[in-house]
Amino acid sequence: MAAVARWWRVGLPGLLVLLLRGARAEQTEEHLKREHSLTKPYQGVGSSSSSLWDLMGNAMVTTQYVRLTPDMQSKQGAVWNRVPCYLRDWEMQVHFKIHGQGKKNLNGDGFAIWYTKDRMQPGPVFGSKDHFLGLGVFVDTYPNEEKQQERVFPYISAMVNNGSLTYDHDRDGRPTELGGCTAMVRNLNHDTFLVIRYVKRRLTIMIDIDGKHEWRDCIDMPGVHLPRGYFFGTSSVTGDLSDNHDIISLKLYQLTVERSPEEEKRDKEVFLPVVDNMKLPGVEAPLEPMSGLALFLIVFFSLVALVFAIVIGVIVYNKWQEQSRKRFY
């Protein structure tokens, strides 16, 4: 009866998550973390001191959803958790809905789910700042890159940033993405879900968007190192094209995973987001500008070396002339 009651409380999508966890990690326990979760009736959302979530921009709360942006041009909105997350292993379940009046390829632009160091900072990347520190998962509904043939949109992708990378809008984030998949999520009559799972430095993203209550793999990337103490959030933006971007719930589960002594030794604290053995194509680390002191020292010692070389040259030349005169007489 306790198990039945629990399944009834989390609902069918939650049950699917539990079954998936059991299939993929047998020695895993999960606990819903309410301080990092956003659910109806959204009592913890707002500007009061007791709120767990902050609204930003054009985001608004209703009884059924948190709307990041309405189906109107040039809107931008976000909702951010106030509590930093110090969990080592976690899973974020996102229940969302994207809908609007625009026809295919005449809608935009999508929304992002964030786990980043900074929060509540508007910017050009789906309504949030560029050069972020952490993880961004993007549900992109409009192809910006011309002659796009390899992908079908809407498209879900992920990016880990150490603060030095730029999200390339003109190429739909391709130079810096970890992976992705097509996800036809607009104007559906059934529920749509996305799950972000981070266990033992492995990032897994799955979707349930077909109304069949079945999870489908989207991204599976090992060697992803994310620091603890970052913030969860979600944001959206519209431009000349628009859509309603609604968040129905965000549910964060703490995962308790058994580790061997060797895994514990390898799983050290992380201070900067990084992905193992991955060279991001088309991205080079920017060179740090040279300081004034360094430039002065380089010029100074170059001049000293030049003067020293001239002096040595003069001495050698005089010696050579003296030897020549001796041989002549």
Side-chain angles (χ1 to χ4, degrees):
M1 289 298 293
V4 173
R6 185 179 183 206
W7 292 349
W8 177 262
R9 184 172 64 253
V10 300
L12 184 56
L15 174 58
L16 290 173
V17 173
L18 297 177
L19 293 175
L20 182 64
R21 290 175 186 144
R24 296 201 170 193
E26 294 180 354
Q27 302 299 323
T28 301
E29 295 182 0
E30 65 287 326
H31 305 280
L32 179 66
K33 305 298 289 184
R34 298 190 183 277
E35 66 271 28
H36 301 300
S37 298
L38 177 68
T39 58
K40 299 177 185 178
Y42 313 116
Q43 292 179 344
V45 181
S47 57
S48 68
S49 59
S50 61
S51 298
L52 295 174
W53 295 82
D54 284 321
L55 293 176
M56 185 176 69
N58 301 113
M60 60 176 293
V61 180
T62 74
T63 58
Q64 299 300 316
Y65 51 79
V66 175
R67 177 155 292 173
L68 301 176
T69 61
D71 189 5
M72 300 173 63
Q73 294 178 338
S74 303
K75 299 297 181 181
Q76 180 174 313
V79 58
W80 282 92
N81 193 200
R82 288 185 178 181
V83 184
C85 179
Y86 289 95
L87 303 179
R88 183 160 59 166
D89 304 291
W90 49 264
E91 183 172 278
M92 172 64 81
Q93 179 188 151
V94 184
H95 184 186
F96 66 96
K97 186 174 182 64
I98 302 176
H99 57 106
Q101 299 298 317
K103 297 181 180 180
K104 184 178 181 181
N105 294 334
L106 291 176
N107 56 274
D109 286 323
F111 75 100
I113 304 137
W114 302 100
Y115 176 69
T116 57
K117 181 178 180 179
D118 300 313
R119 60 186 292 274
M120 299 292 288
Q121 295 193 17
V125 185
F126 295 90
S128 193
K129 66 171 290 186
D130 204 349
H131 300 285
F132 57 91
L133 279 161
L135 168 69
V137 177
F138 312 117
V139 183
D140 193 348
T141 58
Y142 181 77
N144 293 300
E145 185 175 6
E146 296 182 0
K147 299 180 182 180
Q148 177 64 254
Q149 298 177 351
E150 299 178 6
R151 298 179 177 179
V152 177
F153 279 71
Y155 191 85
I156 295 176
S157 64
M159 172 183 177
V160 170
N161 199 344
N162 61 4
S164 67
L165 306 180
T166 296
Y167 180 85
D168 190 341
H169 282 279
D170 294 337
R171 298 182 62 189
D172 300 306
R174 295 184 67 178
T176 53
E177 73 169 30
L178 300 180
C181 66
T182 294
M184 310 305 291
V185 294
R186 289 191 69 247
N187 291 336
L188 300 178
N189 294 324
H190 52 264
D191 292 329
T192 48
F193 300 90
L194 180 150
V195 166
I196 305 168
R197 196 169 196 258
Y198 183 64
V199 176
K200 293 184 178 181
R201 308 301 188 196
R202 191 179 199 97
L203 177 69
T204 306
I205 297 177
M206 297 161 286
I207 55 177
D208 173 17
I209 61 172
D210 300 319
K212 299 179 180 179
H213 306 298
E214 296 176 355
W215 292 105
R216 173 158 55 94
D217 290 337
C218 181
I219 299 172
D220 188 7
M221 176 63 65
V224 177
H225 301 262
L226 298 175
R228 291 190 281 182
Y230 282 12
F231 295 90
F232 287 105
T234 177
S235 65
S236 179
V237 68
T238 64
D240 293 334
L241 303 175
S242 62
D243 256 337
N244 296 302
H245 299 95
D246 299 339
I247 299 297
I248 300 170
S249 69
L250 300 171
K251 294 181 180 179
L252 185 77
Y253 292 90
Q254 177 182 5
L255 304 182
T256 304
V257 183
E258 289 188 358
R259 283 176 167 80
S260 65
E262 292 77 13
E263 289 174 329
E264 287 286 357
K265 186 176 180 180
R266 290 196 305 264
D267 198 4
K268 298 179 180 179
E269 191 70 22
V270 178
F271 299 99
L272 193 68
V274 67
V275 180
D276 289 342
N277 304 320
M278 183 174 183
K279 182 179 180 181
L280 298 173
V283 176
E284 296 182 359
L287 296 176
E288 294 185 0
M290 189 176 298
S291 66
L293 177 61
L295 182 61
F296 169 77
L297 292 176
I298 290 175
V299 173
F300 175 77
F301 284 111
S302 297
L303 291 175
V304 170
L306 179 61
V307 172
F308 183 76
I310 292 174
V311 171
I312 295 297
V314 171
I315 294 174
V316 171
Y317 178 73
N318 290 336
K319 289 287 186 181
W320 175 79
Q321 280 191 329
E322 183 178 350
Q323 292 294 331
S324 297
R325 285 195 297 270
K326 289 180 177 180
R327 288 197 301 269
F328 181 75
Y329 291 110

